[in-house]
Amino acid sequence: MQTSHRVLKNTLILYGKTGITMFISLYTTRVVLRELGADSFGVFALIGGIIGMFGFLNGSLAAASQRFMSFAHGEGKPEQQQKIFNISFGLHFIAALIMVISMLSIGPLLFEHVLKIDLDKLLTAQRIYQFVVASLFFTVLSVPYDAVLNARENMAFFAIIGFIESLLRLGVAMAIAFVANEKLLLYGFLMAMIPLFLAFIRAMFCHMKYVECHFALRRSYDLALIKSMTQFASWSFISTAVAMVSKSWEGIILNTYFGTTINAAQGIANQLSGQLLTISNSLLRALNPILVKTAGERNNEKMLRTAMSGAKLSFTLLAFCIIPISINLSYICKLWLSSVPEFAIIFTQLLLFRSLIAQLSMPISTCIAASGKIKGVSITGSVIGLCPLAVCAILYKHGYQPPAIYWAYICTTIVRACITAPYFAKKHCGLHVKKFLINVVVRCIIGTGITLLASLWLKTLLPEGINQVMITSAVSSVLLIICVWYIILDQTEKEHILNAIQSAYTKLNRIIVIKQTESSS
């Protein structure tokens, strides 16, 4: 199957899952916020952020596992894949123990000296912290299985797992509605059980279906491979650690200056932006293993060409949702939530804008990771990633409003997308930087800029309400489609899309003819 067809097939599978789980997740948030209240919801969001801060080690190992597994798959070496799985599982088991011990040790210090949580919720928050720490152990152990599924491009299983997870989260939200007391404690316990259940399903499926998922730790011992994976994970560790610490301390800094209510607004923004990001991430999840496999085939030209097309598509797919939602967010939040926390709307809009910019460089960053040379980009990205925290700590002391931290992150995201990622992609993969900036960045900004300005102008002519949302959404979608075709895509990409559509139409026609023949006979 051609690369474009594989990407299209896997993306459509993940989109089908996204379309279902998005609405389930958004409704789940509404129910949870209503049942827990803004303060309790903010407490859970804060603890979740802290746990994420300590997940940086897992993130770096996960990057190494997925890169090496997909690379070996591209090289066509099944024995190497089994070695990588076993080494990855061993490393993740050690990482899981380190994280659990570290988090349990530092927990008392956080609750006594760092976090601002009301006394009546403090004991509950400490118990939830312990629940989530325990669940993280099993989440870490499931990463090698995700690497296998990713290398095998089994997006159908990812879709099923995502659907099950959404249903379980909805079930938890509905369950706490029937409890009079200790709702926050019950919610934290049940949410912690979900990763354990999903990790068990992943492990059972992979061991039954894939030969590389066979435990043979002694036979798989390969010092050179362990060293190579550990080096890659070490440099990935730096950038992942900064990203996770930055994300978690974002919540802690906001909590320090503005209390737990602002964490509720942050939690709402993260929830909505996270759901929308699954749209573009569906394409990236389908695209990334192909990019790494292509690197394993030693075909950098094809890899970079695919990455640039993927950057355009992921950017525009996210823009399709972000533009109408952002300009109508105030009305949408009133319908979605019974009570909208202060700053939730502006937080969400800025976070969506930042996420949109980040799409421009994500496939290029995958190419850099596929090369295995991530030392420079990790160090540079880490320095840039720490800047917003330091800047905002100063700004808040001088009376700046909470959204300042999101503006700071937007600035660093622009630097990464337009300067650091293209530079290191040129150095390690041979990217033509000028071509990338003009063909990807400039085209995307012009196309979406025209759509956004026209949609904002149209909004000013219409009264707030459901009609305004429907009309602006329809017009922005049509305008963006026109801009994508005439501004964002180049001639080669248009031909690939037309060929993919023609191929899909031909296959559908053939299926219809076969069905008609069978029914007539």
Side-chain angles (χ1 to χ4, degrees):
M1 188 185 294
Q2 293 182 4
T3 299
S4 59
H5 293 171
R6 282 156 55 202
V7 173
L8 180 61
K9 174 191 170 185
N10 291 333
T11 303
L12 289 175
I13 290 172
L14 293 173
Y15 279 175
K17 183 268 294 185
T18 301
I20 297 172
T21 58
M22 180 183 295
F23 291 104
I24 295 176
S25 297
L26 292 176
Y27 178 73
T28 300
T29 302
R30 174 189 172 93
V31 174
V32 172
L33 183 60
R34 183 189 67 208
E35 295 298 327
L36 295 182
D39 282 342
S40 293
F41 185 83
V43 169
F44 187 82
L46 179 62
I47 293 173
I50 294 169
I51 297 298
M53 180 178 67
F54 288 95
F56 56 81
L57 178 58
N58 178 47
S60 58
L61 290 172
S65 299
Q66 294 189 2
R67 185 266 173 186
F68 279 85
M69 186 66 73
S70 294
F71 198 92
H73 202 279
E75 289 181 310
K77 296 181 178 179
E79 292 184 1
Q80 188 79 345
Q81 292 175 59
Q82 188 178 87
K83 285 184 179 181
I84 291 169
F85 171 78
N86 279 272
I87 292 171
S88 176
F89 190 88
L91 292 175
H92 276 83
F93 182 81
I94 295 171
L97 288 177
I98 292 173
M99 279 188 279
V100 168
I101 294 171
S102 299
M103 286 187 287
L104 291 178
S105 300
I106 204 171
L109 178 65
L110 284 172
F111 285 102
E112 290 177 14
H113 302 289
V114 179
L115 303 179
K116 288 186 177 180
I117 298 176
D118 294 339
L119 290 176
D120 60 331
K121 293 184 176 66
L122 185 59
L123 181 59
T124 299
Q126 290 172 330
R127 290 179 179 175
I128 292 174
Y129 181 84
Q130 294 167 353
F131 294 153
V132 180
V133 167
S135 73
L136 184 62
F137 179 85
F138 298 98
T139 301
V140 173
L141 289 184
S142 69
V143 169
Y145 299 104
D146 279 340
V148 172
L149 292 165
N150 197 56
R152 292 281 187 167
E153 298 181 48
N154 193 341
M155 302 305 157
F157 187 78
F158 277 125
I160 293 170
I161 284 289
F163 180 65
I164 293 172
E165 182 178 9
S166 295
L167 289 179
L168 290 173
R169 288 176 180 271
L170 178 60
V172 171
M174 301 297 288
I176 63 173
F178 296 97
V179 178
N181 300 314
E182 298 291 351
K183 288 189 176 188
L184 179 58
L185 183 63
L186 177 63
Y187 180 71
F189 174 75
L190 293 178
M191 288 293 288
M193 292 298 102
I194 292 176
L196 170 60
F197 178 68
L198 295 178
F200 177 76
I201 293 178
R202 282 188 183 91
M204 292 296 293
F205 177 83
C206 289
H207 279 290
M208 289 189 295
K209 188 169 179 65
Y210 300 125
V211 293
E212 59 264 38
C213 295
H214 175 72
F215 288 128
L217 294 175
R218 290 185 179 180
R219 197 168 57 206
S220 299
Y221 181 79
D222 186 328
L223 185 59
L225 182 57
I226 293 173
K227 182 180 178 181
S228 183
M229 289 183 68
T230 309
Q231 285 179 341
F232 186 96
S234 298
W235 290 117
S236 178
F237 170 88
I238 296 174
S239 55
T240 307
V242 170
M244 297 305 293
V245 170
S246 178
K247 182 67 177 175
S248 302
W249 273 93
E250 174 187 320
I252 293 174
I253 288 175
L254 288 170
N255 173 260
T256 301
Y257 287 94
F258 305 103
T260 55
T261 302
I262 205 70
N263 292 119
Q266 183 193 24
I268 294 297
N270 289 337
Q271 178 69 238
L272 184 55
S273 64
Q275 290 303 315
L276 291 177
L277 274 175
T278 57
I279 296 171
S280 58
N281 287 345
S282 296
L283 173 63
L284 293 174
R285 187 159 205 169
L287 183 65
N288 287 345
I290 293 174
L291 293 176
V292 181
K293 286 179 184 179
T294 308
E297 296 166 1
R298 306 295 192 274
N299 193 341
N300 276 7
E301 183 181 349
K302 178 183 177 182
M303 177 183 69
L304 290 170
R305 188 171 63 249
T306 304
M308 286 194 287
S309 297
K312 290 182 183 181
L313 289 175
S314 63
F315 181 92
T316 52
L317 285 171
L318 189 57
F320 266 109
C321 296
I322 281 182
I323 292 175
I325 287 177
S326 294
I327 62 178
N328 295 295
L329 191 59
S330 178
Y331 182 76
I332 291 172
C333 282
K334 290 176 184 176
L335 293 178
W336 174 33
L337 304 171
S338 55
S339 175
V340 183
E342 187 182 7
F343 293 108
I345 293 173
I346 185 63
F347 278 7
T348 304
Q349 290 171 329
L350 294 176
L351 189 54
L352 290 176
F353 181 54
R354 173 193 172 192
S355 301
L356 187 61
I357 297 171
Q359 300 303 307
L360 293 170
S361 62
M362 283 187 176
I364 299 299
S365 298
T366 301
C367 294
I368 300 170
S371 72
K373 301 171 183 177
I374 61 172
K375 176 181 177 180
V377 73
S378 297
I379 295 173
T380 306
S382 300
V383 173
I384 295 172
L386 289 173
C387 290
L389 296 176
V391 169
C392 286
I394 297 171
L395 292 179
Y396 288 150
K397 286 183 179 180
H398 289 82
Y400 277 75
Q401 291 295 301
I405 196 166
Y406 288 96
W407 285 111
Y409 276 115
I410 286 172
C411 292
T412 57
T413 304
I414 292 173
V415 172
R416 284 176 173 173
C418 299
I419 299 176
T420 57
Y423 169 78
F424 285 104
K426 176 185 179 181
K427 183 178 181 180
H428 300 307
C429 309
L431 175 71
H432 193 295
V433 175
K434 184 178 179 181
K435 182 179 179 181
F436 169 75
L437 293 176
I438 294 174
N439 194 35
V440 178
V441 177
V442 174
R443 283 174 180 259
C444 288
I445 290 175
I446 293 174
T448 52
I450 292 171
T451 305
L452 178 60
L453 291 175
S455 301
L456 287 171
W457 173 77
L458 178 62
K459 182 191 174 185
T460 61
L461 303 178
L462 300 169
E464 186 180 66
I466 190 65
N467 289 334
Q468 183 192 65
V469 174
M470 294 177 65
I471 293 172
T472 54
S473 298
V475 171
S476 68
S477 297
V478 172
L479 279 175
L480 190 55
I481 290 172
I482 295 172
C483 289
V484 166
W485 191 256
Y486 289 102
I487 298 175
I488 296 177
L489 297 178
D490 60 30
Q491 189 59 40
T492 303
E493 291 161 345
K494 292 177 185 177
E495 291 174 1
H496 280 305
I497 291 175
L498 291 174
N499 289 337
I501 294 173
Q502 180 62 39
S503 176
Y505 175 77
T506 303
K507 289 180 180 179
L508 181 62
N509 227 8
R510 191 181 300 124
I511 292 172
I512 293 173
V513 171
I514 293 173
K515 292 292 183 182
Q516 289 176 343
T517 305
E518 290 176 350
S519 57
S520 61
S521 61

